Amino acid sequence: MSNTSTKKKIAAAFLDVLSHKSFASIKVKDIIDAAGVSHMTFYRNYSDKFDLVESICFEDMMLFTKIYGRNAEWRAITICILNTIKNNSAFYGKILKDEEAAVYFMRALCRVSGDTTGAEGSKATNTAWKETMQNWAKNGFTDPVEDIYTALVGAMPLHEVFTGEELAAAIKAYEVNTLDDFRNRQKQK
């Protein structure tokens, strides 16, 4: 059996076990029993169940490269990742609701950024992703992907959304608002 098919077999077994057990209660023995592989085979492919979770998340998140290539627009990438999460809501619900597993979800996300751009997001950007995804999971992924995308972008630090010039222009435009401007905006809501 090739390494790729062995990894797929282990991942499928893990997903099956996760469908009826909490992440925290799963032991590597549960996974190898379900996969029908030896301890040696499991550990040849993954260091532990956390490494397995990170690998599954990373592979899922990298699906955008098959659709858009490696030079896609950030919005398309993010929408693709959000759709992948929503389409696999049973898995991601359990992962994002478990604090230990959520760390490996974030590690996978950082790997995607590092592998595709050469840089990982800032701590503030990672916090925006983690909190937005965990809140979405708490709501059972019922919010539309577009709404989650908007929430995510809104939670990101401005200096990562805008260039220095764009941010300076936005701040300058904001600074000249009068109290009447703010009151009029409130009336329009």
Side-chain angles (χ1 to χ4, degrees):
M1 189 180 303
S2 76
N3 191 38
T4 302
S5 61
T6 300
K7 284 186 166 196
K8 285 181 180 179
K9 186 176 183 178
I10 291 169
F14 171 71
L15 294 172
D16 181 54
V17 172
L18 186 64
S19 72
H20 59 272
K21 289 182 93 169
S22 70
F23 177 79
S25 69
I26 295 174
K27 307 289 182 232
V28 169
K29 182 173 179 4
D30 300 325
I31 301 165
I32 62 171
D33 287 349
V37 298
S38 68
H39 277 85
M40 183 183 297
T41 299
F42 179 88
Y43 288 112
R44 192 177 308 128
N45 291 283
Y46 303 102
S47 58
D48 53 29
K49 70 179 183 178
F50 301 102
D51 184 33
L52 174 56
V53 165
E54 181 180 340
S55 178
I56 292 169
C57 292
F58 178 77
E59 293 298 321
D60 280 355
M61 291 177 197
M62 288 298 288
L63 288 173
F64 78 86
T65 61
K66 292 182 172 132
I67 299 167
Y68 301 108
R70 293 191 61 87
N71 192 31
E73 292 179 353
W74 191 83
R75 184 181 193 291
I77 294 166
T78 304
I79 294 292
C80 186
I81 290 171
L82 295 176
N83 276 315
T84 299
I85 292 168
K86 187 166 185 146
N87 291 337
N88 297 290
S89 60
F91 169 72
Y92 284 102
K94 287 191 173 190
I95 297 307
L96 290 164
K97 290 175 186 173
D98 183 284
E99 279 302 317
E100 284 187 305
V103 168
Y104 291 85
F105 168 87
M106 289 306 302
R107 285 179 60 166
L109 191 61
C110 289
R111 273 182 59 200
V112 169
S113 182
D115 284 8
T116 57
T117 69
E120 294 181 5
S122 70
K123 185 176 180 181
T125 294
N126 291 338
T127 298
W129 268 94
K130 184 178 180 190
E131 289 178 359
T132 303
M133 294 305 98
Q134 287 182 319
N135 287 334
W136 196 25
K138 284 178 190 167
N139 293 331
F141 301 100
T142 56
D143 300 315
V145 166
E146 286 290 334
D147 291 356
I148 297 305
Y149 174 80
T150 301
L152 176 62
V153 172
M156 292 181 67
L158 292 176
H159 69 277
E160 292 196 21
V161 176
F162 297 109
T163 65
E165 291 174 0
E166 292 168 332
L167 185 55
I171 290 170
K172 187 173 182 170
Y174 181 80
E175 290 172 333
V176 298
N177 281 288
T178 65
L179 294 178
D180 281 343
D181 294 331
F182 290 116
R183 282 189 286 271
N184 289 333
R185 274 194 214 118
Q186 289 302 317
K187 289 177 187 174
Q188 293 172 357
K189 287 183 181 181

